[in-house]
PDB file of all heavy atoms in Angstrom:
ATOM      1  N   ASN A   1      17.349 -15.766 -22.741  1.00 90.00           N
ATOM      2  CA  ASN A   1      17.938 -16.947 -23.357  1.00 90.00           C
ATOM      3  C   ASN A   1      19.204 -16.667 -24.145  1.00 90.00           C
ATOM      4  O   ASN A   1      19.786 -17.586 -24.729  1.00 90.00           O
ATOM      5  CB  ASN A   1      16.916 -17.596 -24.314  1.00 90.00           C
ATOM      6  CG  ASN A   1      15.840 -18.333 -23.548  1.00 90.00           C
ATOM      7  OD1 ASN A   1      16.042 -18.704 -22.390  1.00 90.00           O
ATOM      8  ND2 ASN A   1      14.694 -18.532 -24.159  1.00 90.00           N
ATOM      9  N   ASN A   2      19.612 -15.410 -24.226  1.00 91.00           N
ATOM     10  CA  ASN A   2      20.789 -15.032 -25.014  1.00 91.00           C
ATOM     11  C   ASN A   2      20.692 -15.452 -26.475  1.00 91.00           C
ATOM     12  O   ASN A   2      21.665 -15.853 -27.096  1.00 91.00           O
ATOM     13  CB  ASN A   2      22.067 -15.607 -24.405  1.00 91.00           C
ATOM     14  CG  ASN A   2      22.521 -14.876 -23.137  1.00 91.00           C
ATOM     15  OD1 ASN A   2      21.939 -13.865 -22.780  1.00 91.00           O
ATOM     16  ND2 ASN A   2      23.524 -15.383 -22.472  1.00 91.00           N
ATOM     17  N   ASP A   3      19.451 -15.342 -27.003  1.00 89.00           N
ATOM     18  CA  ASP A   3      19.246 -15.755 -28.394  1.00 89.00           C
ATOM     19  C   ASP A   3      18.999 -14.531 -29.276  1.00 89.00           C
ATOM     20  O   ASP A   3      18.632 -14.688 -30.481  1.00 89.00           O
ATOM     21  CB  ASP A   3      18.053 -16.728 -28.501  1.00 89.00           C
ATOM     22  CG  ASP A   3      16.741 -16.142 -28.041  1.00 89.00           C
ATOM     23  OD1 ASP A   3      16.730 -14.982 -27.576  1.00 89.00           O
ATOM     24  OD2 ASP A   3      15.724 -16.844 -28.141  1.00 89.00           O
ATOM     25  N   GLY A   4      19.151 -13.315 -28.741  1.00 91.00           N
ATOM     26  CA  GLY A   4      18.962 -12.123 -29.546  1.00 91.00           C
ATOM     27  C   GLY A   4      17.536 -11.651 -29.628  1.00 91.00           C
ATOM     28  O   GLY A   4      17.274 -10.621 -30.278  1.00 91.00           O
ATOM     29  N   ARG A   5      16.594 -12.369 -28.985  1.00 93.00           N
ATOM     30  CA  ARG A   5      15.194 -11.950 -28.968  1.00 93.00           C
ATOM     31  C   ARG A   5      14.759 -11.719 -27.536  1.00 93.00           C
ATOM     32  O   ARG A   5      15.293 -12.311 -26.604  1.00 93.00           O
ATOM     33  CB  ARG A   5      14.300 -13.038 -29.629  1.00 93.00           C
ATOM     34  CG  ARG A   5      14.587 -13.243 -31.102  1.00 93.00           C
ATOM     35  CD  ARG A   5      13.594 -14.180 -31.733  1.00 93.00           C
ATOM     36  NE  ARG A   5      13.705 -15.537 -31.175  1.00 93.00           N
ATOM     37  CZ  ARG A   5      13.018 -16.578 -31.638  1.00 93.00           C
ATOM     38  NH1 ARG A   5      12.210 -16.435 -32.659  1.00 93.00           N
ATOM     39  NH2 ARG A   5      13.170 -17.776 -31.091  1.00 93.00           N
ATOM     40  N   LEU A   6      13.750 -10.843 -27.392  1.00 96.00           N
ATOM     41  CA  LEU A   6      13.293 -10.507 -26.053  1.00 96.00           C
ATOM     42  C   LEU A   6      12.119 -11.415 -25.634  1.00 96.00           C
ATOM     43  O   LEU A   6      11.143 -11.601 -26.372  1.00 96.00           O
ATOM     44  CB  LEU A   6      12.837  -9.050 -25.995  1.00 96.00           C
ATOM     45  CG  LEU A   6      13.883  -7.986 -26.296  1.00 96.00           C
ATOM     46  CD1 LEU A   6      13.282  -6.598 -26.167  1.00 96.00           C
ATOM     47  CD2 LEU A   6      15.104  -8.145 -25.402  1.00 96.00           C
ATOM     48  N   GLU A   7      12.236 -11.991 -24.448  1.00 97.00           N
ATOM     49  CA  GLU A   7      11.176 -12.723 -23.831  1.00 97.00           C
ATOM     50  C   GLU A   7      10.331 -11.790 -22.930  1.00 97.00           C
ATOM     51  O   GLU A   7      10.783 -10.707 -22.596  1.00 97.00           O
ATOM     52  CB  GLU A   7      11.683 -13.901 -23.012  1.00 97.00           C
ATOM     53  CG  GLU A   7      12.272 -15.014 -23.820  1.00 97.00           C
ATOM     54  CD  GLU A   7      13.630 -14.731 -24.396  1.00 97.00           C
ATOM     55  OE1 GLU A   7      14.550 -14.270 -23.675  1.00 97.00           O
ATOM     56  OE2 GLU A   7      13.825 -14.941 -25.613  1.00 97.00           O
ATOM     57  N   LEU A   8       9.113 -12.204 -22.604  1.00 98.00           N
ATOM     58  CA  LEU A   8       8.215 -11.412 -21.777  1.00 98.00           C
ATOM     59  C   LEU A   8       7.990 -12.123 -20.456  1.00 98.00           C
ATOM     60  O   LEU A   8       7.732 -13.325 -20.407  1.00 98.00           O
ATOM     61  CB  LEU A   8       6.868 -11.212 -22.464  1.00 98.00           C
ATOM     62  CG  LEU A   8       6.822 -10.287 -23.669  1.00 98.00           C
ATOM     63  CD1 LEU A   8       5.474 -10.355 -24.331  1.00 98.00           C
ATOM     64  CD2 LEU A   8       7.119  -8.845 -23.268  1.00 98.00           C
ATOM     65  N   LEU A   9       8.093 -11.378 -19.359  1.00 97.00           N
ATOM     66  CA  LEU A   9       7.806 -11.885 -18.029  1.00 97.00           C
ATOM     67  C   LEU A   9       6.703 -11.056 -17.405  1.00 97.00           C
ATOM     68  O   LEU A   9       6.804  -9.814 -17.331  1.00 97.00           O
ATOM     69  CB  LEU A   9       9.035 -11.855 -17.157  1.00 97.00           C
ATOM     70  CG  LEU A   9       8.860 -12.213 -15.685  1.00 97.00           C
ATOM     71  CD1 LEU A   9       8.404 -13.677 -15.542  1.00 97.00           C
ATOM     72  CD2 LEU A   9      10.149 -11.977 -14.894  1.00 97.00           C
ATOM     73  N   SER A  10       5.646 -11.685 -16.985  1.00 97.00           N
ATOM     74  CA  SER A  10       4.546 -11.034 -16.264  1.00 97.00           C
ATOM     75  C   SER A  10       4.445 -11.620 -14.894  1.00 97.00           C
ATOM     76  O   SER A  10       4.191 -12.799 -14.702  1.00 97.00           O
ATOM     77  CB  SER A  10       3.215 -11.238 -17.010  1.00 97.00           C
ATOM     78  OG  SER A  10       2.118 -10.801 -16.224  1.00 97.00           O
ATOM     79  N   THR A  11       4.710 -10.800 -13.862  1.00 94.00           N
ATOM     80  CA  THR A  11       4.576 -11.267 -12.455  1.00 94.00           C
ATOM     81  C   THR A  11       3.147 -10.993 -11.996  1.00 94.00           C
ATOM     82  O   THR A  11       2.643  -9.888 -12.124  1.00 94.00           O
ATOM     83  CB  THR A  11       5.611 -10.558 -11.565  1.00 94.00           C
ATOM     84  OG1 THR A  11       5.512  -9.152 -11.731  1.00 94.00           O
ATOM     85  CG2 THR A  11       6.996 -11.011 -11.882  1.00 94.00           C
ATOM     86  N   ASN A  12       2.532 -12.019 -11.417  1.00 94.00           N
ATOM     87  CA  ASN A  12       1.110 -11.997 -11.111  1.00 94.00           C
ATOM     88  C   ASN A  12       0.833 -12.114  -9.629  1.00 94.00           C
ATOM     89  O   ASN A  12       1.670 -12.618  -8.874  1.00 94.00           O
ATOM     90  CB  ASN A  12       0.410 -13.126 -11.878  1.00 94.00           C
ATOM     91  CG  ASN A  12       0.588 -12.973 -13.371  1.00 94.00           C
ATOM     92  OD1 ASN A  12       0.662 -11.870 -13.922  1.00 94.00           O
ATOM     93  ND2 ASN A  12       0.655 -14.125 -14.063  1.00 94.00           N
ATOM     94  N   ASP A  13      -0.363 -11.694  -9.250  1.00 93.00           N
ATOM     95  CA  ASP A  13      -0.758 -11.674  -7.854  1.00 93.00           C
ATOM     96  C   ASP A  13      -1.665 -12.855  -7.549  1.00 93.00           C
ATOM     97  O   ASP A  13      -2.694 -13.070  -8.171  1.00 93.00           O
ATOM     98  CB  ASP A  13      -1.512 -10.355  -7.561  1.00 93.00           C
ATOM     99  CG  ASP A  13      -1.663 -10.079  -6.099  1.00 93.00           C
ATOM    100  OD1 ASP A  13      -1.179 -10.862  -5.270  1.00 93.00           O
ATOM    101  OD2 ASP A  13      -2.278  -9.051  -5.740  1.00 93.00           O
ATOM    102  N   ALA A  14      -1.251 -13.678  -6.549  1.00 91.00           N
ATOM    103  CA  ALA A  14      -2.043 -14.786  -6.045  1.00 91.00           C
ATOM    104  C   ALA A  14      -2.326 -15.823  -7.134  1.00 91.00           C
ATOM    105  O   ALA A  14      -3.383 -16.495  -7.120  1.00 91.00           O
ATOM    106  CB  ALA A  14      -3.357 -14.307  -5.432  1.00 91.00           C
ATOM    107  N   MET A  15      -1.395 -15.986  -8.077  1.00 93.00           N
ATOM    108  CA  MET A  15      -1.532 -16.973  -9.117  1.00 93.00           C
ATOM    109  C   MET A  15      -0.170 -17.145  -9.791  1.00 93.00           C
ATOM    110  O   MET A  15       0.769 -16.430  -9.479  1.00 93.00           O
ATOM    111  CB  MET A  15      -2.583 -16.550 -10.144  1.00 93.00           C
ATOM    112  CG  MET A  15      -2.247 -15.247 -10.862  1.00 93.00           C
ATOM    113  SD  MET A  15      -3.428 -14.831 -12.146  1.00 93.00           S
ATOM    114  CE  MET A  15      -3.072 -16.098 -13.361  1.00 93.00           C
ATOM    115  N   ALA A  16      -0.075 -18.093 -10.694  1.00 93.00           N
ATOM    116  CA  ALA A  16       1.195 -18.335 -11.392  1.00 93.00           C
ATOM    117  C   ALA A  16       1.587 -17.160 -12.267  1.00 93.00           C
ATOM    118  O   ALA A  16       0.750 -16.471 -12.854  1.00 93.00           O
ATOM    119  CB  ALA A  16       1.079 -19.599 -12.247  1.00 93.00           C
ATOM    120  N   ASN A  17       2.895 -16.921 -12.360  1.00 94.00           N
ATOM    121  CA  ASN A  17       3.424 -15.897 -13.259  1.00 94.00           C
ATOM    122  C   ASN A  17       3.354 -16.430 -14.696  1.00 94.00           C
ATOM    123  O   ASN A  17       3.187 -17.621 -14.975  1.00 94.00           O
ATOM    124  CB  ASN A  17       4.876 -15.574 -12.911  1.00 94.00           C
ATOM    125  CG  ASN A  17       5.004 -14.992 -11.524  1.00 94.00           C
ATOM    126  OD1 ASN A  17       4.177 -14.219 -11.086  1.00 94.00           O
ATOM    127  ND2 ASN A  17       6.099 -15.361 -10.854  1.00 94.00           N
ATOM    128  N   TYR A  18       3.540 -15.512 -15.668  1.00 97.00           N
ATOM    129  CA  TYR A  18       3.639 -15.881 -17.088  1.00 97.00           C
ATOM    130  C   TYR A  18       5.041 -15.547 -17.594  1.00 97.00           C
ATOM    131  O   TYR A  18       5.612 -14.516 -17.299  1.00 97.00           O
ATOM    132  CB  TYR A  18       2.637 -15.069 -17.926  1.00 97.00           C
ATOM    133  CG  TYR A  18       1.190 -15.224 -17.567  1.00 97.00           C
ATOM    134  CD1 TYR A  18       0.318 -14.145 -17.635  1.00 97.00           C
ATOM    135  CD2 TYR A  18       0.677 -16.473 -17.177  1.00 97.00           C
ATOM    136  CE1 TYR A  18      -1.017 -14.279 -17.315  1.00 97.00           C
ATOM    137  CE2 TYR A  18      -0.660 -16.613 -16.863  1.00 97.00           C
ATOM    138  CZ  TYR A  18      -1.514 -15.503 -16.928  1.00 97.00           C
ATOM    139  OH  TYR A  18      -2.837 -15.650 -16.601  1.00 97.00           O
ATOM    140  N   TYR A  19       5.579 -16.474 -18.406  1.00 97.00           N
ATOM    141  CA  TYR A  19       6.846 -16.255 -19.063  1.00 97.00           C
ATOM    142  C   TYR A  19       6.680 -16.712 -20.531  1.00 97.00           C
ATOM    143  O   TYR A  19       6.393 -17.867 -20.800  1.00 97.00           O
ATOM    144  CB  TYR A  19       7.967 -17.036 -18.389  1.00 97.00           C
ATOM    145  CG  TYR A  19       9.292 -17.046 -19.136  1.00 97.00           C
ATOM    146  CD1 TYR A  19      10.137 -15.946 -19.075  1.00 97.00           C
ATOM    147  CD2 TYR A  19       9.646 -18.157 -19.884  1.00 97.00           C
ATOM    148  CE1 TYR A  19      11.348 -15.979 -19.754  1.00 97.00           C
ATOM    149  CE2 TYR A  19      10.859 -18.164 -20.576  1.00 97.00           C
ATOM    150  CZ  TYR A  19      11.701 -17.071 -20.496  1.00 97.00           C
ATOM    151  OH  TYR A  19      12.903 -17.102 -21.194  1.00 97.00           O
ATOM    152  N   PHE A  20       6.828 -15.778 -21.475  1.00 98.00           N
ATOM    153  CA  PHE A  20       6.575 -16.052 -22.877  1.00 98.00           C
ATOM    154  C   PHE A  20       7.863 -16.016 -23.697  1.00 98.00           C
ATOM    155  O   PHE A  20       8.622 -15.057 -23.621  1.00 98.00           O
ATOM    156  CB  PHE A  20       5.601 -15.037 -23.457  1.00 98.00           C
ATOM    157  CG  PHE A  20       4.244 -15.061 -22.845  1.00 98.00           C
ATOM    158  CD1 PHE A  20       3.873 -14.178 -21.829  1.00 98.00           C
ATOM    159  CD2 PHE A  20       3.296 -16.015 -23.261  1.00 98.00           C
ATOM    160  CE1 PHE A  20       2.603 -14.188 -21.269  1.00 98.00           C
ATOM    161  CE2 PHE A  20       2.026 -16.032 -22.690  1.00 98.00           C
ATOM    162  CZ  PHE A  20       1.677 -15.128 -21.700  1.00 98.00           C
ATOM    163  N   GLU A  21       8.073 -17.085 -24.490  1.00 96.00           N
ATOM    164  CA  GLU A  21       9.182 -17.122 -25.461  1.00 96.00           C
ATOM    165  C   GLU A  21       8.587 -17.200 -26.839  1.00 96.00           C
ATOM    166  O   GLU A  21       7.554 -17.863 -27.066  1.00 96.00           O
ATOM    167  CB  GLU A  21      10.052 -18.355 -25.206  1.00 96.00           C
ATOM    168  CG  GLU A  21      10.811 -18.348 -23.896  1.00 96.00           C
ATOM    169  CD  GLU A  21      11.676 -19.584 -23.729  1.00 96.00           C
ATOM    170  OE1 GLU A  21      11.516 -20.532 -24.540  1.00 96.00           O
ATOM    171  OE2 GLU A  21      12.486 -19.621 -22.795  1.00 96.00           O
ATOM    172  N   MET A  22       9.235 -16.548 -27.804  1.00 96.00           N
ATOM    173  CA  MET A  22       8.748 -16.574 -29.170  1.00 96.00           C
ATOM    174  C   MET A  22       9.281 -17.852 -29.863  1.00 96.00           C
ATOM    175  O   MET A  22      10.448 -18.160 -29.804  1.00 96.00           O
ATOM    176  CB  MET A  22       9.199 -15.336 -29.940  1.00 96.00           C
ATOM    177  CG  MET A  22       8.553 -15.161 -31.291  1.00 96.00           C
ATOM    178  SD  MET A  22       8.946 -13.574 -32.078  1.00 96.00           S
ATOM    179  CE  MET A  22       7.991 -12.450 -31.071  1.00 96.00           C
ATOM    180  N   ASN A  23       8.356 -18.564 -30.535  1.00 95.00           N
ATOM    181  CA  ASN A  23       8.781 -19.798 -31.208  1.00 95.00           C
ATOM    182  C   ASN A  23       9.227 -19.503 -32.624  1.00 95.00           C
ATOM    183  O   ASN A  23       9.296 -18.362 -33.061  1.00 95.00           O
ATOM    184  CB  ASN A  23       7.626 -20.825 -31.160  1.00 95.00           C
ATOM    185  CG  ASN A  23       6.395 -20.349 -31.907  1.00 95.00           C
ATOM    186  OD1 ASN A  23       6.448 -19.511 -32.822  1.00 95.00           O
ATOM    187  ND2 ASN A  23       5.244 -20.903 -31.529  1.00 95.00           N
ATOM    188  N   ALA A  24       9.549 -20.565 -33.394  1.00 93.00           N
ATOM    189  CA  ALA A  24      10.070 -20.423 -34.739  1.00 93.00           C
ATOM    190  C   ALA A  24       9.071 -19.802 -35.678  1.00 93.00           C
ATOM    191  O   ALA A  24       9.432 -19.257 -36.736  1.00 93.00           O
ATOM    192  CB  ALA A  24      10.514 -21.800 -35.247  1.00 93.00           C
ATOM    193  N   ARG A  25       7.756 -19.867 -35.327  1.00 95.00           N
ATOM    194  CA  ARG A  25       6.725 -19.279 -36.196  1.00 95.00           C
ATOM    195  C   ARG A  25       6.490 -17.810 -35.872  1.00 95.00           C
ATOM    196  O   ARG A  25       5.596 -17.165 -36.470  1.00 95.00           O
ATOM    197  CB  ARG A  25       5.430 -20.086 -36.020  1.00 95.00           C
ATOM    198  CG  ARG A  25       5.524 -21.519 -36.496  1.00 95.00           C
ATOM    199  CD  ARG A  25       4.197 -22.250 -36.356  1.00 95.00           C
ATOM    200  NE  ARG A  25       3.846 -22.454 -34.928  1.00 95.00           N
ATOM    201  CZ  ARG A  25       2.891 -21.796 -34.282  1.00 95.00           C
ATOM    202  NH1 ARG A  25       2.156 -20.881 -34.915  1.00 95.00           N
ATOM    203  NH2 ARG A  25       2.649 -22.057 -33.015  1.00 95.00           N
ATOM    204  N   GLY A  26       7.238 -17.276 -34.901  1.00 95.00           N
ATOM    205  CA  GLY A  26       7.060 -15.876 -34.547  1.00 95.00           C
ATOM    206  C   GLY A  26       5.894 -15.628 -33.650  1.00 95.00           C
ATOM    207  O   GLY A  26       5.373 -14.498 -33.568  1.00 95.00           O
ATOM    208  N   VAL A  27       5.449 -16.676 -32.909  1.00 98.00           N
ATOM    209  CA  VAL A  27       4.326 -16.544 -31.978  1.00 98.00           C
ATOM    210  C   VAL A  27       4.821 -16.943 -30.581  1.00 98.00           C
ATOM    211  O   VAL A  27       5.706 -17.810 -30.433  1.00 98.00           O
ATOM    212  CB  VAL A  27       3.151 -17.495 -32.402  1.00 98.00           C
ATOM    213  CG1 VAL A  27       2.035 -17.456 -31.379  1.00 98.00           C
ATOM    214  CG2 VAL A  27       2.640 -17.086 -33.780  1.00 98.00           C
ATOM    215  N   TYR A  28       4.299 -16.303 -29.574  1.00 98.00           N
ATOM    216  CA  TYR A  28       4.734 -16.568 -28.225  1.00 98.00           C
ATOM    217  C   TYR A  28       4.128 -17.858 -27.650  1.00 98.00           C
ATOM    218  O   TYR A  28       2.972 -18.210 -27.915  1.00 98.00           O
ATOM    219  CB  TYR A  28       4.319 -15.400 -27.304  1.00 98.00           C
ATOM    220  CG  TYR A  28       5.193 -14.156 -27.466  1.00 98.00           C
ATOM    221  CD1 TYR A  28       4.708 -13.078 -28.161  1.00 98.00           C
ATOM    222  CD2 TYR A  28       6.491 -14.114 -26.921  1.00 98.00           C
ATOM    223  CE1 TYR A  28       5.500 -11.926 -28.329  1.00 98.00           C
ATOM    224  CE2 TYR A  28       7.269 -12.976 -27.068  1.00 98.00           C
ATOM    225  CZ  TYR A  28       6.756 -11.898 -27.785  1.00 98.00           C
ATOM    226  OH  TYR A  28       7.545 -10.783 -27.936  1.00 98.00           O
ATOM    227  N   GLU A  29       4.924 -18.523 -26.828  1.00 98.00           N
ATOM    228  CA  GLU A  29       4.477 -19.683 -26.039  1.00 98.00           C
ATOM    229  C   GLU A  29       4.803 -19.446 -24.594  1.00 98.00           C
ATOM    230  O   GLU A  29       5.851 -18.906 -24.256  1.00 98.00           O
ATOM    231  CB  GLU A  29       5.165 -20.949 -26.533  1.00 98.00           C
ATOM    232  CG  GLU A  29       4.812 -21.354 -27.949  1.00 98.00           C
ATOM    233  CD  GLU A  29       5.546 -22.625 -28.405  1.00 98.00           C
ATOM    234  OE1 GLU A  29       6.467 -23.032 -27.672  1.00 98.00           O
ATOM    235  OE2 GLU A  29       5.185 -23.146 -29.478  1.00 98.00           O
ATOM    236  N   GLU A  30       3.908 -19.920 -23.724  1.00 98.00           N
ATOM    237  CA  GLU A  30       4.060 -19.697 -22.275  1.00 98.00           C
ATOM    238  C   GLU A  30       4.844 -20.843 -21.656  1.00 98.00           C
ATOM    239  O   GLU A  30       4.462 -22.009 -21.814  1.00 98.00           O
ATOM    240  CB  GLU A  30       2.686 -19.568 -21.627  1.00 98.00           C
ATOM    241  CG  GLU A  30       2.672 -18.698 -20.372  1.00 98.00           C
ATOM    242  CD  GLU A  30       3.257 -19.446 -19.163  1.00 98.00           C
ATOM    243  OE1 GLU A  30       2.726 -20.508 -18.842  1.00 98.00           O
ATOM    244  OE2 GLU A  30       4.224 -18.927 -18.584  1.00 98.00           O
ATOM    245  N   HIS A  31       5.968 -20.536 -20.934  1.00 95.00           N
ATOM    246  CA  HIS A  31       6.832 -21.559 -20.374  1.00 95.00           C
ATOM    247  C   HIS A  31       7.247 -21.249 -18.937  1.00 95.00           C
ATOM    248  O   HIS A  31       8.324 -21.665 -18.515  1.00 95.00           O
ATOM    249  CB  HIS A  31       8.086 -21.712 -21.254  1.00 95.00           C
ATOM    250  CG  HIS A  31       7.832 -22.288 -22.582  1.00 95.00           C
ATOM    251  ND1 HIS A  31       7.474 -23.619 -22.781  1.00 95.00           N
ATOM    252  CD2 HIS A  31       7.899 -21.741 -23.837  1.00 95.00           C
ATOM    253  CE1 HIS A  31       7.325 -23.835 -24.069  1.00 95.00           C
ATOM    254  NE2 HIS A  31       7.562 -22.730 -24.737  1.00 95.00           N
ATOM    255  N   ALA A  32       6.405 -20.573 -18.179  1.00 94.00           N
ATOM    256  CA  ALA A  32       6.799 -20.209 -16.827  1.00 94.00           C
ATOM    257  C   ALA A  32       7.066 -21.416 -15.958  1.00 94.00           C
ATOM    258  O   ALA A  32       8.054 -21.463 -15.192  1.00 94.00           O
ATOM    259  CB  ALA A  32       5.729 -19.315 -16.181  1.00 94.00           C
ATOM    260  N   LEU A  33       6.254 -22.453 -16.040  1.00 92.00           N
ATOM    261  CA  LEU A  33       6.428 -23.626 -15.223  1.00 92.00           C
ATOM    262  C   LEU A  33       7.714 -24.347 -15.635  1.00 92.00           C
ATOM    263  O   LEU A  33       8.493 -24.792 -14.761  1.00 92.00           O
ATOM    264  CB  LEU A  33       5.222 -24.560 -15.361  1.00 92.00           C
ATOM    265  CG  LEU A  33       5.139 -25.728 -14.381  1.00 92.00           C
ATOM    266  CD1 LEU A  33       5.086 -25.218 -12.946  1.00 92.00           C
ATOM    267  CD2 LEU A  33       3.948 -26.601 -14.680  1.00 92.00           C
ATOM    268  N   ASP A  34       7.960 -24.485 -16.928  1.00 91.00           N
ATOM    269  CA  ASP A  34       9.155 -25.163 -17.403  1.00 91.00           C
ATOM    270  C   ASP A  34      10.433 -24.433 -16.940  1.00 91.00           C
ATOM    271  O   ASP A  34      11.448 -25.092 -16.651  1.00 91.00           O
ATOM    272  CB  ASP A  34       9.169 -25.182 -18.934  1.00 91.00           C
ATOM    273  CG  ASP A  34       7.971 -25.912 -19.513  1.00 91.00           C
ATOM    274  OD1 ASP A  34       7.373 -26.704 -18.779  1.00 91.00           O
ATOM    275  OD2 ASP A  34       7.660 -25.670 -20.679  1.00 91.00           O
ATOM    276  N   MET A  35      10.376 -23.119 -16.846  1.00 91.00           N
ATOM    277  CA  MET A  35      11.555 -22.335 -16.514  1.00 91.00           C
ATOM    278  C   MET A  35      11.674 -22.056 -15.030  1.00 91.00           C
ATOM    279  O   MET A  35      12.553 -21.304 -14.599  1.00 91.00           O
ATOM    280  CB  MET A  35      11.515 -21.001 -17.281  1.00 91.00           C
ATOM    281  CG  MET A  35      11.544 -21.136 -18.804  1.00 91.00           C
ATOM    282  SD  MET A  35      13.083 -21.851 -19.392  1.00 91.00           S
ATOM    283  CE  MET A  35      14.191 -20.458 -19.152  1.00 91.00           C
ATOM    284  N   ASN A  36      10.775 -22.630 -14.231  1.00 89.00           N
ATOM    285  CA  ASN A  36      10.782 -22.467 -12.772  1.00 89.00           C
ATOM    286  C   ASN A  36      10.525 -21.014 -12.372  1.00 89.00           C
ATOM    287  O   ASN A  36      11.073 -20.502 -11.401  1.00 89.00           O
ATOM    288  CB  ASN A  36      12.097 -22.926 -12.151  1.00 89.00           C
ATOM    289  CG  ASN A  36      12.023 -23.095 -10.645  1.00 89.00           C
ATOM    290  OD1 ASN A  36      10.946 -23.432 -10.116  1.00 89.00           O
ATOM    291  ND2 ASN A  36      13.123 -22.881  -9.966  1.00 89.00           N
TER     292      ASN A  36
END
């Protein structure tokens, strides 16, 4: 996101992938579907 923080990407087998962004509270949220 070019926001200075690292996001996490987990590529998965026979299921949806995971993509995590850290929110303002410092906790990760999963947004793989939103981010295509």
Side-chain angles (χ1 to χ4, degrees):
N1 285 339
N2 285 354
D3 62 357
R5 295 186 297 186
L6 299 182
E7 288 75 49
L8 289 172
L9 174 64
S10 170
T11 51
N12 301 326
D13 194 2
M15 62 176 290
N17 298 322
Y18 300 143
Y19 171 79
F20 295 99
E21 294 181 349
M22 190 173 288
N23 62 25
R25 296 181 292 108
V27 176
Y28 285 104
E29 295 179 349
E30 207 284 302
H31 291 291
L33 190 60
D34 301 339
M35 298 295 287
N36 195 30

